[in-house]
Amino acid sequence: MNKTVKNAEEAIKDIQDNMTLMLGGFGLCGIPENCISALVKKGVKGLTCISNNAGVDDFGIGLMLQTRQVKKMISSYVGENAEFERQLLSGELEVELIPQGTLATRCLAAGYGMPAIFTPAGVGTEVAIGKETRKFMVDGAEKEFLMEMAFDADFAIVKAWKGDTHGNLIYRETARNFNPMMAMAGKITIAEVEELVPAGELNPDHIHTPGIYVHRIFQGANYEKRIEQRTVRVR
Amino acid sequence: MLDKVGIAKRIAKEIKDGYYVNLGIGIPTLVANYIPQGMNVVLQSENGLLGMGPFPFEGEEDPDLINAGKQTITTVPGSVFFDSAMSFGMIRARKVDLTILGAMEVADNGDIANWKIPGKMVKGMGGAMDLVASAKNIIVAMQHVNKAGESKLLTKCTLPLTGVKCVKKIVTELAVLDVTPQGFKLLERAPGISVEQIKNATEGKLIIDGDIPEMTIE
């Protein structure tokens, strides 16, 4: 059951051009920094990236945009990135914007083995165009829901705080965000962690993602953990 | 006329003891500063936190601890972290008592537009569509008119919608209004603002029933 690989390069070695990747994180919080660097170095192109955000110009997925490796982004919010905007307006980059809860739950559905979900998010908006709808009774009233399909991703790449050699994962604070459901949703799931320990060292009660969902794990290095909006109060 | 802080202070009066509240980006974030002392209110941040505390002291910022606006924050006693699916699960299941968010336009049937201006850069809806589709109670903090003086409280939204028939209450620099099946019902005037001024600034159907009191905020 040893899922350990040496580093990010080895973990992503079979990611090919035109694949679909899920990348965990919210903004720059909880993103798989090591794997993103390795993907930039490897230079795979034509990628479809499912990720809540697209990083900033010089960090996170923004690094893969600079090198024109991304063909399509599926995200809920992409506002902090000038290079992204340029590529979108010039038609180099395709973007599918979907509600954040829909994004999370489409990942969850994949990890739970369910082909689709019903959500009220986007009913009556352009998000609903071309989608099947269905009415259900909610609190005694009929309410319309959109059918949204589970994601199908070749690889999910997530970042956790601690992990063990069986691939069990524990996240920290709000760096958890999309990582657990993406970890469950990849055909192959790669986890990079700040601290990798032998199986048995993590308290089974504290594990967020069971290792059965994780195929490869490694201890990352040199985490920058950049802060996007540093806000403080006066002492 | 209210400034942004005034709008935030007035909205804070709508929060009740025991509420779970989701605050959007912008003016709604300011509301947290005016929740009355001693009131038990838990703030939900949709990136995965219940019990959002104030900004950290300088030097105590934690990159793993941010809010939905990507700002560094803190926890409070009783805080809990969870993943994004559960976060929107509790929103969808209507566990959050009150959602406060900004808007570019609201229609008199409760439709809201706040995520996209066609032809301009599109940033995305984030969690707004999920929040408005499921919230038990939605209060919108917004400007009554745009920079050109045109009403943003309309018969029909001109911008792409975020959600339909969902807004319950609006607080602007000019007024507090309820969204009713008959249209916008004027509840309160901002200090120094006349009913006539509000009428002129409201394109959608406006119901004025009797004397409209001036709002009180500290």
Side-chain angles (χ1 to χ4, degrees), chain A residues 90-110:
Chain A
S90 71
E92 290 166 68
L93 181 68
E94 198 183 328
V95 180
E96 186 181 337
L97 292 169
I98 60 176
Q100 196 173 130
T102 301
L103 178 62
T105 316
R106 288 175 67 186
C107 296
L108 196 75

Side-chain angles (χ1 to χ4, degrees), chain B residues 21 23 29 32 41-45 47 49-54 66-68 73-76 79:
Chain B
V21 181
L23 301 176
T29 305
V41 172
V42 175
L43 300 178
Q44 200 246 19
S45 191
N47 57 318
L49 169 64
L50 274 168
M52 179 166 56
I66 62 169
N67 64 17
I73 47 159
T74 56
T75 54
V76 294
S79 286

Side-chain angles (χ1 to χ4, degrees), chain A residues 53 76-79 85 97 99-102 105 121 126 143 172-174 177 225 229-233 235, chain B residues 55-56 58 61-64 66 70-72 83-84 88 92 116 121-126 130 133 161:
Chain A
N53 312 90
S76 85
Y77 188 83
V78 292
E85 183 171 350
L97 292 169
Q100 196 173 130
T102 301
T105 316
E126 61 184 54
K143 185 167 172 165
R172 183 170 179 272
E173 299 179 337
T174 57
N177 56 62
K225 291 197 180 187
Q229 305 280 344
R230 188 179 298 274
T231 45
V232 295
R233 73 186 132 135
R235 259 176 219 277
Chain B
F55 295 150
E58 196 168 353
E61 308 93 314
D62 179 347
D64 288 338
I66 62 169
K70 285 112 185 176
Q71 297 171 313
T72 46
D83 64 51
S84 301
F88 285 94
R92 214 179 287 117
K116 182 177 183 181
M121 178 53 193
V122 176
K123 292 177 188 287
M125 67 289 282
D130 307 273
L161 294 181

Side-chain angles (χ1 to χ4, degrees), chain A:
Chain A
M1 257 336 131
N2 191 347
K3 314 272 180 80
T4 312
V5 294
K6 199 166 66 208
N7 53 27
E9 284 71 26
E10 190 185 335
I12 64 141
K13 66 179 189 300
D14 49 353
I15 294 183
Q16 307 293 330
D17 288 355
N18 305 311
M19 280 188 165
T20 297
L21 313 182
M22 283 178 172
L23 294 131
F26 183 94
L28 302 178
C29 182
I31 59 171
E33 294 182 20
N34 282 229
C35 283
I36 290 171
S37 297
L39 285 165
V40 170
K41 202 167 137 199
K42 185 175 162 77
V44 279
K45 290 197 158 48
L47 300 172
T48 295
C49 293
I50 302 167
S51 184
N52 189 55
N53 312 90
V56 295
D57 276 325
D58 60 346
F59 203 57
I61 294 175
L63 296 170
M64 293 162 66
L65 292 166
Q66 282 192 358
T67 46
R68 313 269 202 287
Q69 291 174 270
V70 183
K71 179 182 69 183
K72 181 177 180 180
M73 282 299 312
I74 301 174
S75 304
S76 85
Y77 188 83
V78 292
E80 319 297 340
N81 196 316
E83 176 60 16
F84 182 97
E85 183 171 350
R86 195 197 63 70
Q87 289 186 26
L88 178 61
L89 295 172
S90 71
E92 290 166 68
L93 181 68
E94 198 183 328
V95 180
E96 186 181 337
L97 292 169
I98 60 176
Q100 196 173 130
T102 301
L103 178 62
T105 316
R106 288 175 67 186
C107 296
L108 196 75
Y112 276 23
M114 300 183 296
I117 56 143
F118 288 94
T119 176
V123 167
T125 76
E126 61 184 54
V127 165
I129 294 168
K131 285 179 185 153
E132 207 171 315
T133 64
R134 190 162 162 178
K135 287 179 177 159
F136 294 96
M137 293 300 285
V138 177
D139 298 339
E142 215 173 46
K143 185 167 172 165
E144 193 169 307
F145 290 75
L146 296 183
M147 188 168 79
E148 297 275 11
M149 308 309 288
F151 280 123
D152 187 12
D154 298 303
F155 283 85
I157 304 174
V158 304
K159 155 81 198 315
W161 179 42
K162 289 182 180 177
D164 71 18
T165 48
H166 280 201
N168 295 310
L169 303 176
I170 296 175
Y171 309 91
R172 183 170 179 272
E173 299 179 337
T174 57
R176 192 184 314 185
N177 56 62
F178 286 83
N179 286 300
M181 73 230 55
M182 287 187 172
M184 295 162 62
K187 283 198 194 77
I188 297 174
T189 291
I190 298 166
E192 58 174 84
V193 299
E194 292 178 50
E195 188 185 351
L196 181 64
V197 299
E201 286 199 10
L202 300 178
N203 182 335
D205 260 337
H206 294 172
I207 291 166
H208 298 124
T209 296
I212 192 168
Y213 286 111
V214 176
H215 302 85
R216 301 169 193 171
I217 188 167
F218 67 94
Q219 183 169 305
N222 305 319
Y223 282 103
E224 185 178 337
K225 291 197 180 187
R226 197 184 291 187
I227 291 173
E228 207 164 330
Q229 305 280 344
R230 188 179 298 274
T231 45
V232 295
R233 73 186 132 135
V234 187
R235 259 176 219 277

